[in-house]
Amino acid sequence: MHLSTLAALLTLATAHPLAAQQLPAPIDDSLYSAVDLEEAKLGQLLFYDPILSGNRDTACATCHHPEFGTSDGVSLSFGDGGLGLGERRRADTKNMPEERIPRNSPSLFNLGAREFSVLFHDGRLEADAAQPGGLRTPLDADMVTGFASVLSAQTMFPVLSRDEMAGSHRENDIARLVRQGIITGEDGAWGQLARRVASIEAYADSFTAFYPHVDDPDDIAFTDISNAIAAFIAFEWRSDTAPFDAVLRDETALEGQAKLGMELFYGAANCASCHAGPFLTDHGFHAMGAPQIGPGKAATFEAHHKDEGRFRVTGRMEDLYAFRTPSLRNIALTAPYGHAGGHRDLGQFIADHADPARSLANYDRAQAVLPDFEGDDFAVMDDPQQVADIAAAVRAEPVDLTANEIAALVAFLDTMTDPVSLSGRLGIPEAVPSGLTVPRVD
């Protein structure tokens, strides 16, 4: 698109404001499940408590911290075996990670909304009424019941990941159980983590006081823990008070670059074909040629750095290199972008996203934010055939955007920034019942 076309769009936008039917309806309470504040307060402590990690040194908040927009500020981080937070996170030389976490840490905004029924970059966890407990998960028939939501079930999996929270089987009992495939049951990994929590008096008292089915500490199940954490996430990071929300409620109108960006977003740039609805996601899966960096997703017996995305869940060729459409709420503060965090700059990400097949071959590796670690981070990008395969999977037509139009789109996306959700409603606790260190930015 050229400057003459841009000028025409500005004139059109002034004379004919964006039709109301092109914008989503405003967010209201009906889109969310109800949250009990006392349950959320219990979940807050568990979210920030490293007690749920194998080595008792990594909390949910380590990779989902409010200081980094509920993400972690880097492309691919370390869970177990890392020290510090954000770009200052580094490998612990006394407990070196085996590899980086293979995918970028997603933000947590609005996950309490009912329409978020598919989670993880590849959608391997999703609501399915035909499955036991109403969920389809990688555990299939071994998945336990008792989850209040898909969000609750999501919290069950990072604690099983060697690189995220479990650690090495050589280091702790939880990781050894995971290694042996003993996940469910009283003596499984989840059951043992529940026993850890139940052994702490303050937690035991809170669970027995809140949950009617918990009469004593031995009744606490990991599903109770995950339900509390989900309640906290849903309460803490609901986002519906950004400037864009005021537009949807007809309380204000955008001007200047932000207005033009909105016209492009819902018009010629075609962003809304995937980033639809009040949460700006269709919850679908699309191959958009995002750069593949880091270790990739491979089974234990595989030796490659590929990440084939949704294909690894469905086995359908049309799902190769497809990843879930992220919500754009607070997008300006949740960099880096992409399933592997390949872009630190939002404007550059938009430019590459507009013509992904072409941009992939010219990817600027300086866009990656990678803590020091000896790993073959660019193995895929160094292989012309693999780059060509990723590019060939793209189905979206390229969009010609000028530098001014990209700046306008960035200005519009800035209106998604919601100060209330960023600061949180309960905040970071001063301490947690385990007495372990609460993750904080130095």
Side-chain angles (χ1 to χ4, degrees):
M1 189 179 294
H2 300 291
L3 289 176
S4 60
T5 309
L6 182 61
L9 271 174
L10 279 168
T11 302
L12 181 65
T14 302
H16 304 283
L18 192 66
Q21 63 268 25
Q22 290 181 274
L23 293 174
I27 294 173
D28 61 32
D29 289 346
S30 69
L31 300 183
Y32 297 88
S33 299
V35 177
D36 188 293
L37 180 57
E38 291 307 309
E39 186 177 23
K41 288 179 178 179
L42 173 56
Q44 174 205 25
L45 298 175
L46 291 161
F47 185 88
Y48 286 96
D49 198 333
I51 191 68
L52 298 178
S53 62
N55 290 321
R56 296 177 171 85
D57 58 2
T58 307
C60 303
T62 302
C63 293
H64 297 283
H65 202 282
E67 290 290 335
F68 307 104
T70 69
S71 183
D72 60 11
V74 297
S75 300
L76 303 171
S77 192
F78 309 116
D80 180 80
L83 299 171
L85 295 176
E87 288 196 48
R88 297 178 64 181
R89 192 157 178 80
R90 63 194 187 280
D92 182 356
T93 56
K94 297 179 180 179
N95 177 30
M96 287 293 290
E98 297 197 30
E99 60 184 10
R100 301 185 195 276
I101 294 173
R103 289 176 176 162
N104 180 255
S105 176
S107 62
L108 304 180
F109 299 107
N110 288 316
L111 295 186
R114 293 189 181 91
E115 71 175 63
F116 284 83
S117 61
V118 181
L119 296 179
F120 293 116
H121 287 290
D122 56 13
R124 63 188 183 275
L125 176 63
E126 56 189 312
D128 184 345
Q131 300 297 318
L135 298 167
R136 182 182 297 278
T137 83
L139 290 177
D140 294 326
D142 289 334
M143 191 66 178
V144 297
T145 60
F147 300 104
S149 63
V150 175
L151 176 57
S152 172
Q154 188 274 336
T155 67
M156 302 284 278
F157 290 93
V159 299
L160 304 180
S161 167
R162 179 196 68 188
D163 301 312
E164 294 181 57
M165 296 180 72
S168 170
H169 67 280
R170 294 182 290 271
E171 298 172 336
N172 66 75
D173 57 336
I174 302 300
R176 280 190 289 275
L177 289 169
V178 173
R179 174 86 171 199
Q180 296 170 53
I182 306 173
I183 308 300
T184 60
E186 185 176 341
D187 295 325
W190 285 333
Q192 291 305 300
L193 286 171
R195 300 283 66 75
R196 279 191 190 179
V197 171
S199 70
I200 298 171
E201 184 177 0
Y203 279 135
D205 290 345
S206 294
F207 276 100
T208 54
F210 181 79
Y211 292 107
H213 62 276
V214 178
D215 294 321
D216 60 61
D218 288 340
D219 294 332
I220 299 171
F222 199 87
T223 49
D224 300 316
I225 295 169
S226 65
N227 286 341
I229 293 174
F232 167 67
I233 293 171
F235 179 79
E236 186 77 345
W237 290 302
R238 171 171 166 168
S239 180
D240 62 347
T241 52
F244 181 61
D245 292 298
V247 173
L248 297 184
R249 293 172 179 138
D250 291 327
E251 297 168 355
T252 189
L254 299 183
E255 299 178 349
Q257 284 282 82
K259 179 180 180 180
L260 174 59
M262 184 168 69
E263 296 284 347
L264 287 165
F265 188 94
Y266 287 99
N270 202 32
C271 307
S273 63
C274 296
H275 294 284
F279 302 112
L280 298 113
T281 173
D282 63 359
H283 302 286
F285 299 86
H286 306 277
M288 293 300 297
Q292 175 54 44
I293 60 178
K297 292 288 282 187
T300 304
F301 58 87
E302 294 175 314
H304 62 71
H305 290 73
K306 294 189 294 184
D307 190 335
E308 296 169 319
R310 183 66 170 165
F311 172 79
R312 293 189 69 88
V313 177
T314 68
R316 298 193 298 254
M317 294 302 294
E318 61 266 31
D319 288 332
L320 269 172
Y321 306 112
F323 296 89
R324 185 172 58 88
T325 305
S327 169
L328 300 182
R329 292 291 176 156
N330 293 303
I331 188 68
L333 300 177
T334 60
Y337 308 104
H339 74 276
H343 287 78
R344 69 172 70 218
D345 180 78
L346 182 55
Q348 187 60 56
F349 179 73
I350 293 172
D352 287 358
H353 200 61
D355 192 351
R358 178 188 60 79
S359 300
L360 190 63
N362 301 307
Y363 171 62
D364 178 7
R365 300 180 185 194
Q367 283 288 314
V369 184
L370 293 168
D372 288 341
F373 185 68
E374 290 188 11
D376 197 357
D377 292 315
F378 295 99
V380 170
M381 302 307 294
D382 286 333
D383 184 336
Q385 184 57 58
Q386 292 195 65
V387 171
D389 290 344
I390 296 172
V394 176
R395 298 290 179 266
E397 291 294 324
V399 179
D400 187 16
L401 295 174
T402 68
N404 283 339
E405 290 165 341
I406 291 170
L409 285 167
V410 170
F412 171 57
L413 293 177
D414 281 341
T415 72
M416 308 293 166
T417 301
D418 179 359
V420 174
S421 65
L422 286 169
S423 61
R425 293 163 173 82
L426 294 176
I428 302 172
E430 288 298 318
V432 290
S434 70
L436 296 170
T437 302
V438 174
R440 299 184 190 279
V441 177
D442 294 335

